[in-house]
């Protein structure tokens, strides 16, 4: 959401009250570290304007700004440099610092060059030639696009897999050159140690709608890294950015929680919030919560809707200045359920979306929620969107035996709603379980089991949706005149439920299938075992094995398995497990089973726990369920 410099008088008064709490000079309220690297960048250009030794880059102009979160948290397609336009027969040189996360374990955590036609990313006629990433992996995905020939790539550093060591070698001061002289396309990336080139001598296709316009655009995208831009020989759209200090103009808040549990301290509730601050000359940077001051209006002691006021009073270089204010809304609730759509069912079509969830080849992802509908039409119920990582769609399917999209035409829709009027009435408060399956062969299936408020069970299936890339398959939920509550809770919400005191419903896993589900884990924090537990059973509840979150288990089939996981610091892990987002996958291999747990802690770190080769297993009779011990789980 966008935020203005001026807001209602009440909010301004609140912000001024915050400012009066401490001095603007040296006060703890606004203490930040001055970003000395800005001056270092500018000096490096001003002193030499050279890269890779003695070679001077003719026409290099200062263009100093940062792209990507400096805590290395920016994901793919989350941060972009300015646009740089390269004319036919032109050359573009750019220099920047490539900051690699010292803890990076994947070769793709660097940057990619995106080459497009002369259109903005959001334009209707936007088209890409392709992408060239700095790492080089011939068997991987280090280049892509319909107009990029990977055989024309050479590099002095080659990776066999995306987990090879050596990504750190891609850091430092990088010179990037795009040379269009001669009608082809020559791209060079070098930091003086690693040199990567793309040499296409054939003429470059013109993707512009106007055939007379032969200009191309280029921009950079970091992933798990950040770029400190230094200079360019071509003036970007929006102009060059000087290293002189800049005043903040506006601010946008990111990652504001929609709901905060009653009793949560203000600082804890918004510890993960960041702000994107826009400065003069189109410069921006992301600042953490520690650089912001927050106030909730009215206070957080009572349930209901609140306004979050955030104050920031630093220049681009970290000097004190007049404050800017941003605000957002959130709800204080007594139960931490996850909702999608307005609870009065007023959210219109495509008005709210859940996060995308990736489903791997041969994996089925299971979700449970309660569906509430306005009851106006059959389509005013949950919708499942099957898509790629960039949100381009394979198919969209509804609860009411209807869908569309390139992959939908080949599918077989099957529903059991014989009386549509009775079904629609029963869907207000219906308990729904969806199964989204990536068959691994270019097809996907969606199944929804709806337990209506009339006591009847309705089933809707969409089988054989095609045109699916099995390695790039995601789904999400959206709504239309309805809302969803992901409210399946196991255990008391104060974490007082003892061992084996509450259990989820069982999920059947067929032979050769991977079934996954996602939960939010809450713990009393007393012991490592006070977290989620996975129980593998037969249909009659007789057990194969019981495995915990903390690298421990038991049962007749447990002894044969290989448990792996467990963090280096159990204390840190245990603290991070309260409100951790956990994805549990169970694989039925016929005579054995695997359990894999991916835990994204409240500290932002990802922890893994695997139990591989649990055996013997009757492949035709494998189920799993969750139980708790001094914890509770919310199915998301």
């Amino acid at each position: 959401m966008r935020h203005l410099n001026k807001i209602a008088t009440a909010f301004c008064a609140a912000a001024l009250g915050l400012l009066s709490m401490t001095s603007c000079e040296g006060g703890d309220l606004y203490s930040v570290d001055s970003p000395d690297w800005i001056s270092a960048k500018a000096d490096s250009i001003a002193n030499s304007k050279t890269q890779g030794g003695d070679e001077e880059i003719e026409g290099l102009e200062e263009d100093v700004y940062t792209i990507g979160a400096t805590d290395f948290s920016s994901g793919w397609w989350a941060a972009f440099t300015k646009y740089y336009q390269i004319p036919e027969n032109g050359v573009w040189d750019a220099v920047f610092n490539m900051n690699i996360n010292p803890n990076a374990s994947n070769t793709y955590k660097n940057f990619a060059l995106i080459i497009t036609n002369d259109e903005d990313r959001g334009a209707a006629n936007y088209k890409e030639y392709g992408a060239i990433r700095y790492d080089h992996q011939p068997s991987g995905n280090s280049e892509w696009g319909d107009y990029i020939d990977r055989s024309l790539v050479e590099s002095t550093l080659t990776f066999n897999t995306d987990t090879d060591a050596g990504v750190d070698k891609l850091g430092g001061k990088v010179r990037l050159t795009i040379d269009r002289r001669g009608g082809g396309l020559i791209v060079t990336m070098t930091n003086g140690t690693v040199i990567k080139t793309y040499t296409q001598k054939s003429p470059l296709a013109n993707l512009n709608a106007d055939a007379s316009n032969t200009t191309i655009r280029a921009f950079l995208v970091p992933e798990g890294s950040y770029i400190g831009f230094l200079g360019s020989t071509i003036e970007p759209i929006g102009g060059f950015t000087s290293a002189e200090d800049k005043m903040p103009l506006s601010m946008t808040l990111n990652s504001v929680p929609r709901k905060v549990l009653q009793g949560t301290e203000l600082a804890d509730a918004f510890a993960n919030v960041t702000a994107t601050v826009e400065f003069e000359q189109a410069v921006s940077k992301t600042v953490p919560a520690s650089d912001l001051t927050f106030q909730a209006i009215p206070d957080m002691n009572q349930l209901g809707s609140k306004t979050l006021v955030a104050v920031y009073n630093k220049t681009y270089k970290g000097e004190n200045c007049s404050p800017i204010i941003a605000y957002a809304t959130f709800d204080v609730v007594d139960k931490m359920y996850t909702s999608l759509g307005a609870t009065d069912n007023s959210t219109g079509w495509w008005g709210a979306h859940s996060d995308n969830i990736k489903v791997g080849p041969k994996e089925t992802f299971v979700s449970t929620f309660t569906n509430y509908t306005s009851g106006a039409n059959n389509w005013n119920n949950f919708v499942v969107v099957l898509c790629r990582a960039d949100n381009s769609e394979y198919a969209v399917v509804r609860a009411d035996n209807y869908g569309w999209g390139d992959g939908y035409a080949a599918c077989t829709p099957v529903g059991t709603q014989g009386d549509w009027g009775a079904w629609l009435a029963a869907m207000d408060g219906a308990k729904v379980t969806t199964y989204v399956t990536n068959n691994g062969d270019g097809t996907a299936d969606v199944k929804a089991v709806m337990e209506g408020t009339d006591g009847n069970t309705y089933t809707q299936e969409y089988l054989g949706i095609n045109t699916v890339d099995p390695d790039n398959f995601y789904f999400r939920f959206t709504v239309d005149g309805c809302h969803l509550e992901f409210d399946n809770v196991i255990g008391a919400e104060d974490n007082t439920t003892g061992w084996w005191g509450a259990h989820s419903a069982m999920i059947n896993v067929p032979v050769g299938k991977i079934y996954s589900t996602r939960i939010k884990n809450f713990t009393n924090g007393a012991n490592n075992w006070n977290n989620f537990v996975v129980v593998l059973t037969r249909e009659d509840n007789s057990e194969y094995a019981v495995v915990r979150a903390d690298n421990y288990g038991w049962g007749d089939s447990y002894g044969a398995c290989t448990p792996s996981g467990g963090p280096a610091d159990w204390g840190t892990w245990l603290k991070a497990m309260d409100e951790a987002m956990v994805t549990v996958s169970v694989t039925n291999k016929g005579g054995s089973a695997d359990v894999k747990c991916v835990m994204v802690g409240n500290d932002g770190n990802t922890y893994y726990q695997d139990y591989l080769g649990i055996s013997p297993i009757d492949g035709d009779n494998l189920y799993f369920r969750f139980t708790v011990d001094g914890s509770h789980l919310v199915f998301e």
Side-chain angles (χ1 to χ4, degrees), residues 152-164:
L152 304 180
V153 174
E154 295 182 353
S155 177
T156 58
L157 176 63
T158 298
F159 299 98
N160 294 317
T161 72
D162 62 16
T163 57
D164 286 1

Side-chain angles (χ1 to χ4, degrees), residues 512-580:
K513 298 293 186 178
I514 307 169
Y515 271 46
S516 302
T517 192
R518 187 167 68 170
I519 57 174
K520 180 175 280 190
N521 180 89
F522 297 82
T523 173
N524 63 17
N527 305 283
N528 291 343
W529 55 82
N530 295 131
N531 290 288
F532 70 91
V533 179
V534 182
V535 185
L536 300 188
T537 74
R538 301 172 183 86
E539 188 175 12
D540 64 3
N541 273 324
S542 58
E543 296 167 13
Y544 296 113
V546 180
V547 296
R548 298 191 321 210
D550 62 331
N551 203 29
Y552 188 80
W554 59 87
D556 292 343
S557 302
Y558 179 79
C561 87
T562 303
S564 62
D569 185 340
W570 281 105
T572 299
W573 172 85
L574 182 56
K575 291 180 181 178
M577 285 301 291
D578 194 32
E579 300 191 43

Side-chain angles (χ1 to χ4, degrees), residues 611-625:
Y611 298 95
L612 307 180
I614 297 171
S615 65
I617 294 290
D618 179 355
D620 295 324
N621 193 0
L622 175 62
Y623 294 76
F624 75 96
R625 70 177 187 271

